[in-house]
Amino acid sequence: MKLLDKITPLEQDFSKWYIDVVKQGDLIDYGPVKGTLIFKPNAYGIWEQIQFNLNRIFKEKCIKNVYLPLFIPEKLFNKEKEHIKGFNPELATVTMAGDKKLDEKIFIRPTSEVLFANLFKNSVESYNDLPLIYNQWVNVVRWEKTTNPFLRNREFLWQEGHTCHSDPLEARQFTKNMIMIYNKFLRNYLAIPTIVGKKTSHEKFAGACSTYTIEAMMKDGKALQAGTSHYLAQNFSKQFDIKFKNYKNVNDYVYQTSWGISTRLIGAIIMTHGDNRGIIIPPKVAPIQISIIELFANKNPKIHELALQIKNDLSKKYRVFLDESDKSPGYKAANSEIQGIPLRIEIGPKDIDNNTVTFVRRDTQEKEIVSCNELKKNVKYTLDEIHINLLQLAEQRLEENTIVVTDYETFKEGIKNRKFVIAPFCCSGKTEDKIKEETGATSRCIPKKINKPVKAAKCIYPTCKSTTNRYVVFAKAY
Amino acid sequence: MKLLDKITPLEQDFSKWYIDVVKQGDLIDYGPVKGTLIFKPNAYGIWEQIQFNLNRIFKEKCIKNVYLPLFIPEKLFNKEKEHIKGFNPELATVTMAGDKKLDEKIFIRPTSEVLFANLFKNSVESYNDLPLIYNQWVNVVRWEKTTNPFLRNREFLWQEGHTCHSDPLEARQFTKNMIMIYNKFLRNYLAIPTIVGKKTSHEKFAGACSTYTIEAMMKDGKALQAGTSHYLAQNFSKQFDIKFKNYKNVNDYVYQTSWGISTRLIGAIIMTHGDNRGIIIPPKVAPIQISIIELFANKNPKIHELALQIKNDLSKKYRVFLDESDKSPGYKAANSEIQGIPLRIEIGPKDIDNNTVTFVRRDTQEKEIVSCNELKKNVKYTLDEIHINLLQLAEQRLEENTIVVTDYETFKEGIKNRKFVIAPFCCSGKTEDKIKEETGATSRCIPKKINKPVKAAKCIYPTCKSTTNRYVVFAKAY
């Protein structure tokens, strides 16, 4: 085991802080191919909790899990022209198997719209078969030039849902419902508040009719797109000939949606809640929720007895780790912090006399002496409090750093100061490119609701003459 | 929805029966690249149950889940010479990303020993860090020439565990423990009895010191290797320089194991329990455990009320499906059967009068009228009974079709009649090749125990003069 190295203060260099936290938190190692990651137990454990809880929500919504192949033949992929434009440069391509050259190039899925389209074509015959609501948890590959752990990797893990509907309204409603499910999930499980909105046509998924997004604010003020839901309309069904007989017995093409969240959420957790001691994992998705540390256990064997008993008691309901290594208590405590374990329970000689233990919260560093008789109640209360506190801090930061502006100078100033800047915008792609060039900001979304009163105004970009009541969130983004 | 096509009787053509069952059971579709599969909800749901239950067992054993990359650079792969011999011809190879040729070939993992070796090299320093016990649930790719759904595909899903130990005895014991965990898991969850044993050196995993296996008998008498556990000794650690300081502060190479089960278990379920009506899914891993079907519900609205109530009641503990489509009850019942749902509950007009429902078991086709007041108790009992019945039938078949022989004529006769033939064997690779050539059988394992008394005898192969007390199971195999 390595000594706990120092973490660069986040105020000093946020990017360096992020990499330090990722490395020190025992979250990842780098894979042997550049830009790939090894998810160690502390990172993969978060993903497992996300998966477990989201699956439970999915099952309530009658979403069924499937698994589609990793491989897409070139010809099939090329069927969806719009789609390719966005992805072709990033595709990892298999050209050989063993020593033999393949007859056709095979792409590794960057996303699976064309594979689902192909499946749906064979599965759907009548309105009776619809809606068809599938999801898969898989690895996908995009050959990114610059990579950053969790945020942008050549291989990452995600869930991608794909649905077929007989009715366009139902499909669009489903698209919107999914983004709201993600929004709620991030609040309730990751303690991350997000702005829900629609992407401008410039920023929407290639091949979608509209894209809905949840945008989160990281501690450096940059935006992170945390989940998307696409209304695909008939873009794929017409290309792939996914027809069904409607209730009038007339052929129509299905209306589709797709939606996903990925392991970049682990990056979002780090940059939303982390501090200069490392990652802080929200209790509901923490692989270890409670660590137990014995102080001077060699002085009193009852300390170990109590630690074991507490571990066994709490393990029925929580994910608990009793560090029984021969490291010092100080080292163990530092290790528990740097790994982001939300609650630490320390047991020392005095506690044996007083029938107490000490709670140490990872988020506030607060210590509290708790009676053993009220342990369970207090564990539940404290874990809930940690979640609430993390969420409130993040909400407050989002609130304080979001401004509504109507003139370009204030806009630029806002972006420079790493704010989310909401401004009236014409939504032209060319104007968006210019704003990006001049400020480094991209449009994040047309928000579903704005907390401040707004009225129709001239587009924020000086040379644009149009007036609009459409306000758009701009920010620098990951 | 397609009409329920017929299934070829298994007595007539087992291979055709298998493919029919797979297709009709709504288990798979074929992927667009030859030899790849789409796991539809009924198949992926089995895998999810396997994963969920095995994960629970793994966690009790302190096995931690991780995720390692899909990609292995050629140079890294080539470090392990033994390994390559077994896999090189089957490797899918990425040579391009976008339009650019890569500097180095990248292989898609056929298994991840070399990646874990690379990770362990960076993770292990002292005996204090050991044992390190990791597992991952991933897709792997092997470019097989001939494929068969679930049994042999170019891409499949599996779990692969990899461990490092400071002590060779501990590592070997761990290898053996894992094969026993698999053996128990197959009995308790899949209702599949297996023969536990060690592979001959001819059949062991390339790169392993020894391989332990569980071998199951399919309904056509062929063997299916259902799980393996490898003692790797220091084969990888020496090649990859995975060193640790032992308690005497002296450098040593770690001792390793690896072990896995895969989606071929779904094939094993089909060929162990299936009948001429399709797959029968053992209750513990069935995606849907109970289907509820209303008979003549239009005649009495109380039928639907009762069906809904039962669904809600049972859903708290079981995976339940109430078929509310406008198909006929006969169609629904056939569909429930062909999908292998273990228990069907039918509710008709008479049941409303009598406060009863009818249970129909998928395994025995037995019908039983059950009082609504004793529903829950009966559901539990019946599902347990189905598991026990499936297991007993499979055990009986395995028992009846396993013979011990000491002369080559009876051996050949046994193999011809699709028996598991246990015979004294010298364990020479060359002799194994000859037996395979002459009979089509391969050595499955040196069984841990044999239920019949055996004594030292001459090797089964006529021209081999050696005498041995090592008895080996031979069979034709998938």
Side-chain angles (χ1 to χ4, degrees):
Chain A
M1 184 82 77
K2 282 162 200 156
L3 282 172
L4 296 172
D5 299 344
K6 289 236 171 83
I7 291 174
T8 308
L10 66 88
E11 303 81 8
Q12 185 184 311
D13 184 339
F14 194 81
S15 313
K16 207 159 175 305
W17 167 82
Y18 179 72
I19 296 296
D20 288 348
V21 169
V22 165
K23 277 191 195 163
Q24 298 304 321
D26 207 25
L27 294 159
I28 63 146
D29 215 327
Y30 293 104
V33 168
K34 197 179 158 293
T36 63
L37 282 190
I38 292 166
F39 291 76
K40 295 178 82 173
N42 203 27
Y44 193 75
I46 297 175
W47 188 239
E48 280 186 304
Q49 290 304 322
I50 289 176
Q51 206 169 347
F52 177 79
N53 288 295
L54 209 47
N55 260 334
R56 215 168 39 188
I57 296 166
F58 284 176
K59 296 225 159 124
E60 281 165 20
K61 309 276 165 197
C62 296
I63 297 168
K64 285 179 180 169
N65 284 342
V66 296
Y67 183 84
L68 269 60
L70 181 67
F71 296 131
I72 313 177
E74 185 179 30
K75 219 176 285 165
L76 185 69
F77 199 89
N78 287 352
K79 252 189 162 177
E80 212 295 276
K81 296 290 179 195
E82 275 306 305
H83 195 147
I84 290 163
K85 254 194 284 173
F87 277 112
N88 210 16
E90 301 173 352
L91 291 172
T93 310
V94 177
T95 62
M96 294 176 72
D99 299 330
K100 278 192 195 142
K101 200 168 172 295
L102 298 178
D103 294 336
E104 186 185 8
K105 280 183 196 166
I106 294 172
F107 298 137
I108 299 182
R109 62 178 163 220
T111 178
S112 306
E113 270 75 9
V114 303
L115 291 167
F116 274 94
N118 210 44
L119 170 64
F120 289 145
K121 183 179 157 56
N122 299 327
S123 308
V124 177
E125 288 183 3
S126 109
Y127 70 95
N128 246 326
D129 303 328
L130 299 172
L132 215 49
I133 305 179
Y134 285 164
N135 174 63
Q136 65 174 1
W137 295 90
V138 297
N139 54 343
V140 285
V141 172
R142 297 176 189 178
W143 214 260
E144 307 282 357
K145 279 190 194 86
T146 53
T147 58
N148 201 357
F150 301 123
L151 305 176
R152 198 171 289 277
N153 290 101
R154 285 184 171 171
E155 181 192 10
F156 59 93
L157 306 176
W158 80 348
Q159 68 58 219
E160 49 175 324
H162 296 263
T163 69
C164 284
H165 306 261
S166 56
D167 179 64
L169 290 177
E170 179 189 297
R172 194 180 274 279
Q173 192 55 52
F174 195 93
T175 316
K176 290 179 185 172
N177 289 350
M178 281 315 304
I179 207 68
M180 294 315 291
I181 285 174
Y182 287 149
N183 171 58
K184 196 170 159 192
F185 180 77
L186 263 74
R187 279 185 75 82
N188 291 352
Y189 288 86
L190 312 186
I192 298 178
T194 62
I195 295 182
V196 181
K198 195 174 161 178
K199 288 283 182 190
T200 61
S201 65
H202 200 55
E203 285 284 329
K204 74 177 170 60
F205 171 57
C209 171
S210 17
T211 291
Y212 299 86
T213 180
I214 46 171
E215 300 283 328
M217 181 186 278
M218 302 298 101
K219 277 203 169 168
D220 62 349
K222 281 170 83 174
L224 186 135
Q225 178 181 301
T228 49
S229 183
H230 312 292
Y231 174 53
L232 305 174
Q234 295 177 315
N235 291 353
F236 284 83
S237 64
K238 283 186 175 164
Q239 207 67 41
F240 285 85
D241 202 36
I242 317 171
K243 273 186 285 209
F244 72 103
K245 282 209 193 307
N246 67 19
Y247 68 100
K248 289 177 188 159
N249 211 28
V250 175
N251 273 330
D252 193 3
Y253 294 100
V254 298
Y255 300 84
Q256 292 183 270
T257 80
S258 69
W259 25 277
I261 55 103
S262 78
T263 38
R264 86 184 322 223
L265 287 180
I266 302 172
I269 289 172
I270 297 170
M271 293 195 294
T272 302
H273 305 306
D275 63 15
N276 287 336
R277 293 163 185 260
I279 183 173
I280 301 177
I281 312 181
K284 288 193 192 156
V285 293
I288 300 169
Q289 297 171 296
I290 302 159
S291 67
I292 302 172
I293 294 173
E294 305 163 34
L295 310 176
F296 315 108
N298 48 351
K299 290 199 183 148
N300 188 342
K302 284 191 178 159
I303 291 179
H304 189 57
E305 271 171 39
L306 181 60
L308 274 178
Q309 189 202 316
I310 290 177
K311 184 199 159 186
N312 291 338
D313 276 5
L314 294 179
S315 290
K316 284 166 201 150
K317 210 169 157 193
Y318 302 99
R319 297 178 288 279
V320 185
F321 172 62
L322 168 60
D323 191 339
E324 297 190 71
S325 74
D326 53 11
K327 302 284 187 332
S328 72
Y331 183 97
K332 289 178 185 177
N335 207 30
S336 172
E337 288 204 325
I338 212 163
Q339 289 189 26
I341 299 169
L343 176 61
R344 190 166 88 233
I345 298 180
E346 297 182 345
I347 310 170
K350 267 190 195 165
D351 290 314
I352 299 301
D353 301 336
N354 303 335
N355 193 34
T356 57
V357 296
T358 303
F359 277 19
V360 189
R361 277 173 65 161
R362 174 65 187 86
D363 59 335
T364 56
Q365 304 294 331
E366 278 166 8
K367 290 195 176 201
E368 191 190 355
I369 293 171
V370 171
S371 157
C372 288
N373 303 330
E374 297 194 314
L375 189 71
K376 279 187 207 167
K377 198 181 79 186
N378 275 289
V379 163
K380 187 188 172 337
Y381 178 79
T382 306
L383 290 177
D384 286 350
E385 278 298 304
I386 293 172
H387 179 90
I388 292 166
N389 178 49
L390 291 174
L391 179 60
Q392 278 177 350
L393 286 174
E395 273 179 329
Q396 195 181 332
R397 207 178 55 248
L398 176 60
E399 175 71 21
E400 283 172 5
N401 291 288
T402 303
I403 55 173
V404 179
V405 306
T406 48
D407 72 291
Y408 199 50
E409 285 313 307
T410 325
F411 180 96
K412 285 196 284 187
E413 190 64 20
I415 295 297
K416 212 176 124 191
N417 293 327
R418 294 289 177 86
K419 307 281 183 198
F420 275 22
V421 182
I422 304 180
F425 182 54
C426 67
C427 287
S428 125
K430 278 185 191 161
T431 313
E432 241 180 284
D433 282 340
K434 280 185 206 156
I435 290 175
K436 190 178 178 184
E437 216 179 287
E438 292 170 18
T439 68
T442 49
S443 86
R444 304 316 306 156
C445 68
I446 307 160
K448 198 170 176 250
K449 63 169 190 200
I450 300 172
N451 291 335
K452 286 146 196 172
V454 293
K455 54 186 180 185
K458 197 191 80 58
C459 167
I460 191 71
Y461 195 67
T463 60
C464 178
K465 300 297 169 211
S466 59
T467 294
T468 179
N469 49 22
R470 193 189 280 133
Y471 278 66
V472 174
V473 182
F474 282 85
K476 288 189 178 172
Y478 281 98
Chain B
M1 186 81 78
K2 283 161 198 153
L3 281 173
L4 296 174
D5 299 342
K6 289 237 171 83
I7 291 174
T8 307
L10 66 87
E11 303 79 9
Q12 185 185 312
D13 185 338
F14 195 81
S15 312
K16 208 161 175 304
W17 167 83
Y18 179 72
I19 296 295
D20 288 348
V21 169
V22 165
K23 278 191 194 162
Q24 299 303 321
D26 206 25
L27 293 160
I28 63 144
D29 214 328
Y30 292 105
V33 168
K34 194 177 161 291
T36 64
L37 282 190
I38 292 166
F39 291 78
K40 295 178 83 172
N42 204 27
Y44 193 73
I46 297 174
W47 188 240
E48 279 185 305
Q49 290 304 322
I50 289 175
Q51 207 169 347
F52 176 78
N53 289 296
L54 208 47
N55 261 332
R56 214 168 39 187
I57 295 166
F58 284 177
K59 293 218 164 131
E60 280 165 22
K61 309 275 167 198
C62 296
I63 297 168
K64 287 180 178 168
N65 284 342
V66 296
Y67 183 84
L68 269 59
L70 180 68
F71 296 131
I72 312 177
E74 185 180 31
K75 217 176 289 166
L76 185 69
F77 199 89
N78 286 352
K79 254 189 161 176
E80 214 294 277
K81 298 289 179 196
E82 275 306 305
H83 196 149
I84 292 163
K85 254 194 285 173
F87 279 110
N88 209 18
E90 300 174 352
L91 291 172
T93 309
V94 176
T95 62
M96 293 176 71
D99 298 331
K100 279 192 195 142
K101 198 167 175 294
L102 297 177
D103 293 336
E104 187 185 8
K105 281 183 195 164
I106 294 172
F107 298 137
I108 299 182
R109 61 178 164 221
T111 177
S112 306
E113 270 75 10
V114 301
L115 291 168
F116 274 95
N118 210 44
L119 170 64
F120 289 145
K121 182 180 157 54
N122 299 327
S123 309
V124 177
E125 289 183 1
S126 109
Y127 70 96
N128 246 327
D129 303 328
L130 298 172
L132 215 48
I133 305 179
Y134 285 164
N135 174 63
Q136 64 174 1
W137 295 90
V138 296
N139 54 343
V140 286
V141 171
R142 297 177 189 177
W143 216 258
E144 306 282 358
K145 281 190 192 85
T146 53
T147 59
N148 202 356
F150 302 123
L151 305 175
R152 199 171 290 276
N153 291 100
R154 287 185 172 171
E155 182 192 8
F156 59 93
L157 305 177
W158 78 350
Q159 66 63 217
E160 49 176 322
H162 296 263
T163 69
C164 283
H165 306 261
S166 57
D167 179 66
L169 290 177
E170 179 189 297
R172 194 180 275 278
Q173 193 54 52
F174 195 94
T175 315
K176 290 179 184 171
N177 289 350
M178 282 314 305
I179 207 68
M180 293 315 292
I181 286 174
Y182 288 148
N183 172 58
K184 196 172 159 191
F185 180 78
L186 263 75
R187 279 185 75 83
N188 291 353
Y189 289 86
L190 312 186
I192 298 178
T194 62
I195 294 182
V196 182
K198 194 173 161 179
K199 287 285 182 190
T200 62
S201 64
H202 200 53
E203 286 283 330
K204 75 177 168 62
F205 170 58
C209 172
S210 19
T211 292
Y212 299 86
T213 180
I214 46 172
E215 301 282 327
M217 180 186 278
M218 303 297 101
K219 276 201 169 168
D220 62 350
K222 280 169 83 172
L224 185 133
Q225 179 181 301
T228 48
S229 184
H230 312 292
Y231 174 54
L232 305 175
Q234 296 177 315
N235 290 353
F236 284 83
S237 63
K238 284 187 175 165
Q239 207 68 40
F240 285 83
D241 201 35
I242 316 171
K243 273 188 287 209
F244 73 102
K245 282 209 192 307
N246 68 18
Y247 68 101
K248 289 177 189 160
N249 211 29
V250 175
N251 273 330
D252 193 5
Y253 295 101
V254 300
Y255 300 85
Q256 293 183 268
T257 80
S258 69
W259 25 277
I261 55 103
S262 77
T263 38
R264 86 185 321 221
L265 287 180
I266 302 172
I269 289 172
I270 297 170
M271 294 194 294
T272 303
H273 305 306
D275 63 15
N276 286 336
R277 294 162 185 260
I279 183 174
I280 301 177
I281 311 182
K284 288 192 194 159
V285 294
I288 301 169
Q289 296 171 297
I290 302 159
S291 66
I292 302 172
I293 294 172
E294 305 163 35
L295 310 175
F296 315 107
N298 48 353
K299 290 199 182 146
N300 187 345
K302 284 192 179 160
I303 291 179
H304 189 57
E305 271 171 39
L306 181 59
L308 275 178
Q309 190 203 313
I310 290 177
K311 184 198 159 188
N312 291 338
D313 277 4
L314 293 179
S315 290
K316 284 165 202 151
K317 210 170 157 193
Y318 302 99
R319 298 178 288 279
V320 185
F321 171 63
L322 168 59
D323 192 339
E324 298 189 72
S325 73
D326 54 9
K327 303 282 186 337
S328 73
Y331 183 97
K332 289 178 185 179
N335 207 29
S336 171
E337 287 203 325
I338 212 163
Q339 289 189 25
I341 300 169
L343 176 61
R344 189 165 88 234
I345 299 180
E346 296 183 345
I347 309 170
K350 266 192 195 163
D351 290 312
I352 298 299
D353 301 337
N354 303 336
N355 194 32
T356 57
V357 296
T358 304
F359 278 18
V360 189
R361 277 174 65 159
R362 173 64 188 85
D363 59 335
T364 56
Q365 305 295 330
E366 279 166 9
K367 291 193 176 204
E368 190 191 356
I369 293 172
V370 171
S371 158
C372 287
N373 304 330
E374 296 194 314
L375 190 71
K376 280 187 209 169
K377 197 181 77 185
N378 275 289
V379 164
K380 186 186 172 341
Y381 178 80
T382 307
L383 290 177
D384 286 350
E385 278 299 304
I386 294 171
H387 179 90
I388 291 165
N389 178 49
L390 291 175
L391 179 61
Q392 277 176 349
L393 287 173
E395 273 179 329
Q396 195 182 333
R397 207 178 56 248
L398 176 61
E399 175 70 22
E400 283 172 6
N401 291 288
T402 302
I403 55 173
V404 179
V405 306
T406 48
D407 73 290
Y408 198 52
E409 285 314 306
T410 325
F411 179 97
K412 285 195 285 188
E413 190 65 17
I415 295 297
K416 213 175 125 191
N417 294 327
R418 292 289 178 89
K419 306 281 182 197
F420 275 21
V421 183
I422 304 179
F425 183 53
C426 66
C427 288
S428 123
K430 278 184 191 162
T431 313
E432 242 181 284
D433 282 339
K434 281 184 203 153
I435 290 176
K436 189 177 180 186
E437 215 179 287
E438 293 169 18
T439 69
T442 50
S443 87
R444 305 314 309 154
C445 67
I446 307 160
K448 197 169 177 251
K449 62 169 190 199
I450 301 171
N451 291 335
K452 286 146 196 170
V454 293
K455 52 186 182 186
K458 198 191 80 59
C459 168
I460 192 72
Y461 195 68
T463 59
C464 177
K465 300 296 170 216
S466 60
T467 296
T468 178
N469 50 22
R470 193 189 281 136
Y471 277 67
V472 173
V473 181
F474 282 84
K476 288 189 179 174
Y478 281 98

